Amino acid sequence: MAGFGYFLSCEEHTPAELVDQARMAEQAGFESLWISDHYHPWHDGQGQSPFVWSVIGALSQAVSLPVETAVTSPLVRTHPAVIAQAAATSAVQLGGRFRLGVGTGEALNEHILGTVWPEAPVRLEMLEEALQIIRQLFTGEQTSHHGRHYTVENARLYTLPDEPVPIDVSAFGPQAAEVAARIGDGLITMMPDEPLVERFRRGCGGTKPVYGGLKVCWGTDERAAVRTAHRLWATEQLPGELLQVLPTPAHFAQASQLVTEEQVAQAVTCGDDPDAHVGALSAFVDAGFDTVYVNQIGKDQQGFFDFYRTKVLPRLRD
């Protein structure tokens, strides 16, 4: 049976709000947490972007739920050796209830140091090398690495969990899914794409978990909820590689002007119809996902959690 988690959005909320939402998620019956890892929000209207590793430390003291980054890019902005230390410490703080979700990232967050933003095939190559470094450091042994993209000299992690941190890889296309099957402990993707799940499972023998996520906007006024989703997350409907290559929140704000409220209404579950919310999450379950994470867009978090606690999660579990 699939599990259901809550997706904490660092782009919209302060650290204190994220911790409060985690508590509400646990009380509502969600079983695990995702948390986004950004340097910038997608656009200024979202308004926040705290340092994820600090927030994870706070979560470890506030809730008993497992936590995963969705997702961290260990490619450009932060060296994989530093990500390895952050992930290991997070796993210790959480008593082993931590998974590291990784992906090839976006220029929005990764270009800030003035380095070149590589093409997608190069980013996949960098990701594979980065995970080699991270996994070697998770052994606790002194590590040196002189590769095509990264250098590590005499590095050793001293604060380690009892077991190495599982690493799940984000993928949205067939090539990335094959890489995820080969180098990841699980797959992360944001659409109920059954062919993608099947391709991943063929590549890994069907033994690794698949995790999915989606956004909704609960509210008693469906049109108002659509407007909120459009104002805050029209970026989700941008086509092609724009999410990966646009460099600043201002560029995303400009591109989002091309997305209509009608497009958002068709793509995002809005309003307070339990059937619609159950159907949106069930699409992931039917496509073979092991855990589905849902994020509430906007400020009305308590109303969302009450709605899911009483009208959505019980039906999904039945």
Side-chain angles (χ1 to χ4, degrees):
M1 188 172 90
F4 299 95
Y6 188 70
F7 191 173
L8 298 166
S9 172
C10 285
E11 300 92 326
E12 275 192 69
H13 303 286
T14 68
E17 289 169 343
L18 293 167
V19 173
D20 285 343
Q21 289 167 25
R23 291 192 182 102
M24 289 189 284
E26 186 166 31
Q27 292 165 3
F30 286 98
E31 300 157 331
S32 52
L33 299 169
W34 266 0
I35 185 166
S36 56
D37 179 1
H38 270 231
Y39 193 89
H40 295 133
W42 293 102
H43 59 82
D44 287 354
Q46 292 175 338
Q48 296 290 330
S49 201
F51 188 56
V52 70
W53 303 105
S54 299
V55 181
I56 290 171
L59 293 174
S60 73
Q61 303 303 300
V63 296
S64 62
L65 299 179
V67 178
E68 178 167 19
T69 54
V71 294
T72 292
S73 176
L75 270 62
V76 178
R77 168 171 49 113
T78 312
H79 193 282
V82 178
I83 295 296
Q85 185 185 30
T89 299
S90 296
V92 170
Q93 289 178 301
L94 285 156
R97 294 173 286 106
F98 179 74
R99 298 181 76 93
L100 176 63
V102 300
T104 54
E106 306 89 14
L108 173 71
N109 303 300
E110 304 303 311
H111 83 289
I112 59 171
L113 302 181
T115 53
V116 172
W117 181 237
E119 294 181 335
V122 177
R123 299 201 303 271
L124 278 174
E125 184 181 277
M126 293 172 71
L127 182 63
E128 185 164 358
E129 185 177 336
L131 294 199
Q132 292 173 359
I133 294 167
I134 292 170
R135 286 202 165 98
Q136 181 60 32
L137 286 165
F138 283 165
T139 67
E141 298 175 356
Q142 182 169 295
T143 296
S144 293
H145 174 93
H146 299 275
R148 180 171 181 180
H149 301 288
Y150 303 105
T151 298
V152 177
E153 290 188 354
N154 307 323
R156 179 184 170 191
L157 297 182
Y158 283 82
T159 300
L160 288 164
D162 293 335
E163 299 292 334
V165 178
I167 303 174
D168 301 319
V169 177
S170 173
F172 297 94
Q175 181 183 3
E178 291 175 359
V179 172
R182 180 163 48 82
I183 69 173
D185 297 310
L187 172 71
I188 290 173
T189 193
M190 305 305 287
M191 294 291 291
D193 187 339
E194 188 171 0
L196 186 76
V197 172
E198 290 175 351
R199 192 177 191 115
F200 171 79
R201 292 204 186 282
R202 285 198 302 270
C204 67
T207 59
K208 298 177 182 179
V210 178
Y211 305 99
L214 76 160
K215 294 186 180 297
V216 303
C217 191
W218 174 86
T220 55
D221 183 331
E222 183 176 348
R223 283 313 304 178
V226 169
R227 289 193 295 271
T228 297
H230 179 262
R231 175 173 57 84
L232 292 172
W233 287 97
T235 51
E236 292 272 295
Q237 309 312 316
L238 294 175
E241 290 187 77
L242 287 178
L243 290 175
Q244 283 74 49
V245 301
L246 292 180
T248 70
H251 288 103
F252 277 97
Q254 293 165 11
S256 294
Q257 295 176 31
L258 302 175
V259 178
T260 66
E261 286 188 9
E262 287 68 30
Q263 287 174 289
V264 171
Q266 291 176 7
V268 180
T269 300
C270 294
D272 61 351
D273 179 359
D275 290 341
H277 287 262
V278 169
L281 274 72
S282 295
F284 285 84
V285 178
D286 294 343
F289 286 71
D290 295 282
T291 306
V292 188
Y293 292 82
V294 58
N295 170 253
Q296 162 70 357
I297 296 171
K299 294 295 185 183
D300 196 352
Q301 298 289 320
Q302 186 63 67
F304 162 84
F305 285 117
D306 289 343
F307 174 70
Y308 264 65
R309 176 178 55 82
T310 58
K311 298 185 178 180
V312 178
L313 292 178
R315 286 182 53 184
L316 288 166
R317 290 176 178 130
D318 287 343

